[in-house]
Amino acid sequence: QKGLFFQFDQGKTLTGITIGSSAYITDKGIRVGSTIEEVMRAYGEPKGNSLKNEKLDIPAFIYDGIIFLHNSKEITGIHVTL
């Protein structure tokens, strides 16, 4: 489907889905394009606020099983961990 990206462990086991389209919505009403405030109201305070390694520092709100990527104003992607 357009706007859905599937991640597999060694090509066999589905481990995650990344959503890059506003056509899909979470069970709490959040989609790509939702505001930061909407995420906070729906999910509360995140456990983490960025995805970091030695080369990257990506703004994100990290919750159990779901990560919201953002640009400081709105959600730009949603990653669901399976």
Side-chain angles (χ1 to χ4, degrees):
Q1 290 286 9
K2 189 174 183 178
L4 292 177
F5 306 92
F6 300 93
Q7 290 80 44
F8 294 89
D9 179 20
Q10 298 180 3
K12 296 181 181 181
T13 304
L14 181 64
T15 58
I17 301 169
T18 301
I19 302 163
S21 167
S22 62
Y24 305 97
I25 191 167
T26 72
D27 62 338
K28 295 187 179 185
I30 303 300
R31 66 178 71 223
V32 169
S34 292
T35 66
I36 301 267
E37 292 79 18
E38 290 170 325
V39 172
M40 293 295 188
R41 277 195 302 274
Y43 287 87
E45 283 296 316
K47 291 187 172 195
N49 58 16
S50 68
L51 298 173
K52 288 184 183 183
N53 66 24
E54 56 277 348
K55 295 182 181 181
L56 297 173
D57 186 2
I58 301 169
F61 294 128
I62 302 168
Y63 299 90
D64 289 331
I66 192 163
I67 299 169
F68 296 97
L69 307 173
H70 65 85
N71 64 9
S72 299
K73 293 182 182 179
E74 65 183 21
I75 300 306
T76 58
I78 302 169
H79 180 76
V80 179
T81 304
L82 305 174

